[in-house]
């Protein structure tokens, strides 16, 4: 095989995979829109007070969540970066965990800590004060801050790690006070990632489904995604579901564009920190303040994890583990997640190979067409960010209804949706590794005429071998913890662990729910942390 | 030279798992000492040691007779100029230089005048309001030097500040340096300068210290250290031995 043939094959594979992905994401909708035709009650719905309220609430809760997460991340990041103490790295690692925790489990944990019968309410009641009500806006905000505060803080710590060592040396040498250090070094560094952090958090909160489903209450605290789900599952109003879905797509598309403009690739920079050496002179008062900020942050992030463990251990775990429904759900979850992970890899690899082939012809000829096609492939890979799982599900739910039994097709739709959800993450993990490998050995491979399988074995495989495990584990964990895709399609024959957990919560079998949450949370955390440390993927500072 | 040394390192040592740097050194007030040696030998580590960025594992460090072994960087009577990133990119040249006098407050009127004089002295008059990115590499280092001079600290550490400049610019910077140095009288300005260019040392330094494998291999007057009488290790580093080696080797080979 010639090198040029190899390149053409890679391109063809990537285009096929991305068309498959795009087709799946948009397909259900296309079927639907074609079937409904011009009969969409679009204008009518836009003036509908309920829909307007939902849109407003979606934006309002996302804005407030972003404000709270990002504002509290600033002092936390500064304290984390300034304070030197044993266990600092452990805290930074802990801040990774909320991202690995299934959202449903996190929502449950928030209830356990902050809910009516939670630890905080108990303490308040003992002090003679009113118990907290976690359902509604306040609960949604708490949960969003729990998931996103650590994310924002880590982005900021990474930005502080990027500050050149000379700046910290100068600060020490010129005797900067803490305020001067903040004004001249810390704030400028943090300000650079602020737009990226804020837009990322806003995006995640505006498309949040599970948290709002569990903690939102009634029409006054419903986001677009939950409204789509409710209009199909409870009211069965397809017209409204379509309008809501279109609104959601337009909204997220706008958000993604704004985020790209503001922040670029924020997610890629995740330092574990700790390499920067600082020479500030911190007085006793400042040390105390840092300690207090860190203790509060730690308490806020760690308490839900502790609550999950305590509540879960109270459940009758042996009974749960031998219960037929649980075993069935676990097996279903397992095969769904393993296949979704596999499909995600099978979709991502050809896309990445094509991206690299285009990047290489771009390097050789500076071709604009190559650059635009590469961008198009990259956009397709993260298309699922614009078309959230619930919307994809709604499309296929309504589309398939016309031709077959929705529930017969359920497992396939869920596997494919979960795979599509994982593709952006897989691409993000494998992409940089593959790009580095190609830049290093591409000229050599071309001059040797490496093509086909041997090119894959010698150039591609060594580059992606190590991060591959992490990418697969992450894809599997995303699917294991997902509720968005399965929420519409779950039924008696097709029940995954998160779906079962939601059912048990719905029927007030709180102990069962707590036990299942512990099992599910443990499964996902072990999966991700073990594969991450096995991969030893060090996202270093880029300098 | 009966005066108290401007800088004294007494078996000052830093350990790391894979290397150790130990230095025993005395620098007289007003002296200009050049540190030369292969990369990775420990020249910059030595500077970091003196500046207080790396705490000593053992030994002692005195500046003008005062023990500063455990003093934090801000409390050591010295200034330092690095190879890069001496200026904060978002502050004007003026503000960057002002940090040397008043890092934590506004400058007074007399300080403002001093800064303007300092900028003029290094040839940056009229460029006070520029941002670092609007300056050339040489101008940025001039600004860093201006800040160091304004602090009037008796000891100046230079960690290869001219390494990224071309030969002509480097010569120019060195003459700016010796010009301003003359303005320091009581106490005189002592300079410790790391350089990769022996010719920088040749024109200006009083003494040269050769650092090799974490130790000061040899110290001596510049003319001796860089000339024909240099110790063997220094000659090897400078590449002075090449011709003589060949001259010496040839007869041996012929005889064998």
């Amino acid at each position: 095989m010639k090198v040029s043939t190899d390149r053409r094959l890679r391109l063809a594979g990537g285009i096929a995979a991305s068309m498959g992905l795009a087709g799946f994401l948009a397909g259900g909708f296309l079927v639907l829109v074609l079937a409904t035709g011009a009969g969409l009650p679009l204008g009518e719905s836009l003036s509908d007070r309920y829909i307007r309220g939902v849109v407003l609430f979606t934006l309002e809760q996302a804005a407030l969540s972003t404000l709270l997460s990002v504002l509290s991340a600033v002092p936390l990041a500064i304290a984390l970066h300034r304070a030197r103490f044993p266990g600092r790295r452990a805290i930074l690692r802990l801040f990774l965990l909320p991202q690995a925790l299934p959202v449903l489990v996190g929502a449950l944990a928030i209830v356990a800590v902050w809910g009516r019968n939670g630890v905080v309410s108990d303490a308040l009641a003992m002090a003679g004060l009113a118990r907290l009500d976690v359902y509604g806006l306040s609960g949604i905000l708490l949960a969003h801050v729990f998931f996103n505060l650590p994310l924002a803080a880590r982005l900021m710590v990474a930005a502080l790690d990027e500050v050149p060592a000379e700046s910290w040396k100068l600060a020490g040498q010129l005797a900067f006070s803490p305020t001067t250090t903040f004004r001249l070094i810390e704030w400028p560094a943090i300000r650079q990632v602020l737009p990226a952090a804020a837009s990322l958090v806003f995006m995640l909160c505006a498309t949040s489904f599970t948290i709002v489903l569990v903690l939102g209450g009634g029409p006054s605290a419903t986001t677009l995604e939950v409204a789509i789900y409710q209009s199909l599952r409870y009211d069965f109003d397809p017209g409204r579901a379509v309008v809501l879905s279109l609104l959601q797509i337009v909204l997220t598309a706008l958000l993604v564009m704004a985020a790209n403009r503001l922040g670029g690739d924020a997610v890629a920079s995740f330092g574990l920190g700790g390499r920067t050496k600082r020479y500030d002179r911190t007085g006793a008062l400042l040390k105390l303040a840092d300690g207090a900020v860190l203790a509060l942050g730690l308490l806020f992030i760690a308490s839900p994890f502790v609550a999950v463990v305590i509540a879960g251990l109270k459940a009758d775990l042996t009974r749960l583990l031998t219960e037929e429904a649980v075993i069935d759900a676990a097996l279903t979850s397992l095969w769904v997640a393993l296949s979704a992970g596999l499909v995600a890899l099978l979709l991502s690899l050809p896309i990445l190979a094509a991206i690299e082939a285009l990047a290489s012809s771009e390097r050789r000829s500076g071709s604009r067409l190559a650059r635009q096609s590469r961008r198009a492939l990259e956009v397709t890979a993260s298309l699922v960010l614009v078309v959230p799982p619930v919307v994809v599900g709604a499309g296929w739910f309504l589309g398939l209804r016309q031709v077959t039994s929705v529930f017969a097709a359920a497992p396939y739709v869920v596997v494919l949706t979960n795979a599509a959800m994982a593709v952006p993450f897989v691409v993000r993990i494998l992409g940089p590794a593959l790009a580095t490998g190609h830049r290093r050995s591409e000229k050599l491979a071309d001059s040797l005429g490496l093509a086909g399988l041997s090119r894959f074995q010698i150039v591609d495989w060594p580059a992606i071998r190590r991060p591959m495990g992490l990418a697969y584990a992450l894809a599997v964990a995303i699917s294991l913890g997902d509720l968005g895709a399965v929420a519409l399609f779950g039924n008696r024959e097709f029940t995954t662990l998160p779906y079962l957990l939601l059912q048990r919560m719905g029927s007030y079998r709180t102990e069962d729910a707590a036990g299942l949450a512990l099992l599910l949370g443990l499964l996902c955390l072990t999966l991700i942390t073990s594969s991450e440390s096995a991969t030893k993927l060090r996202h270093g500072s880029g300098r | 030279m009966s005066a108290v040394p401007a800088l004294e390192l007494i078996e000052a040592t830093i350990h790391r798992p894979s290397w150790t740097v130990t230095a025993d050194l005395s620098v007289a007030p007003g002296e200009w000492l050049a540190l030369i040696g292969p990369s990775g030998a420990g020249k910059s580590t030595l500077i970091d040691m003196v500046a207080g960025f790396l705490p000593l594992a053992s030994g002692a460090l005195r500046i003008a007779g005062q023990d500063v072994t455990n003093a934090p960087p801000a409390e050591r009577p010295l200034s330092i100029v690095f190879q890069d990133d001496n200026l904060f990119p978002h502050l004007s040249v003026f503000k960057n230089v002002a940090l040397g006098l008043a890092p934590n407050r506004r400058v007074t009127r007399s300080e403002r005048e001093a800064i303007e004089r300092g900028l003029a002295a290094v040839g940056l008059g009229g460029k006070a309001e520029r941002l670092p990115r609007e300056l050339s590499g040489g101008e940025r280092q001039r600004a860093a030097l201006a800040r160091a001079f304004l602090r009037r600290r008796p000891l100046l550490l230079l960690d290869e500040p001219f390494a990224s400049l071309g030969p002509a610019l480097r010569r120019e910077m060195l003459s700016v340096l010796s010009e301003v140095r003359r303005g320091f009288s009581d106490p005189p300005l002592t300079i410790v300068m790391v350089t990769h260019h022996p010719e920088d040392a040749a024109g200006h330094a009083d003494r040269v210290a050769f650092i090799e494998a974490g130790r000061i291999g040899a110290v001596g007057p510049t003319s001796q250290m860089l000339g024909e009488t240099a110790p063997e290790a220094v000659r090897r580093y400078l590449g002075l031995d090449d011709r003589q080696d060949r001259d010496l080797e040839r007869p041996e080979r012929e005889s064998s």
Side-chain angles (χ1 to χ4, degrees), chain A residues 63-77:
Chain A
L64 286 175
S65 303
T66 308
L67 203 67
L68 287 173
S69 306
V70 172
L71 278 189
S72 28
V74 174
L76 194 58

Side-chain angles (χ1 to χ4, degrees), chain A residues 177-223:
Chain A
S177 68
T179 1
T180 307
T181 309
F182 176 75
R183 195 164 49 85
L184 294 182
I185 305 180
E186 288 161 343
W187 176 243
I190 288 175
R191 200 182 46 199
Q192 282 192 334
V193 290
L194 218 50
S199 54
L200 179 67
V201 172
F202 191 88
M203 173 86 199
L204 291 172
C205 295
T207 56
S208 151
F209 171 74
T210 307
I211 287 175
V212 183
L213 183 67
V214 175
L215 295 171
S220 61
T222 298
T223 55

Side-chain angles (χ1 to χ4, degrees), chain A residues 132-161:
Chain A
L132 299 173
D133 181 13
V134 82
Y135 294 99
L137 181 61
S138 54
I140 294 174
L141 292 184
L142 268 173
H144 279 164
V145 174
F146 166 70
F147 278 106
N148 295 305
L149 165 67
L151 177 72
R154 284 178 57 91
L155 283 173
M156 291 174 191
V157 170
L160 289 170
D161 278 340

Side-chain angles (χ1 to χ4, degrees), chain A residues 496-532:
Chain A
T496 61
L497 275 179
Y499 192 76
L500 184 69
L501 176 46
L502 189 70
Q503 279 185 332
R504 296 279 154 105
M505 281 168 78
S507 49
Y508 297 102
R509 290 166 72 178
T510 320
E511 275 202 0
D512 280 9
L516 287 173
L518 176 62
L519 296 176
L520 188 58
L522 218 56
L523 195 59
C524 286
L525 288 187
T526 332
L527 197 61
I528 289 188
T529 46
S530 62
S531 63
E532 194 198 31

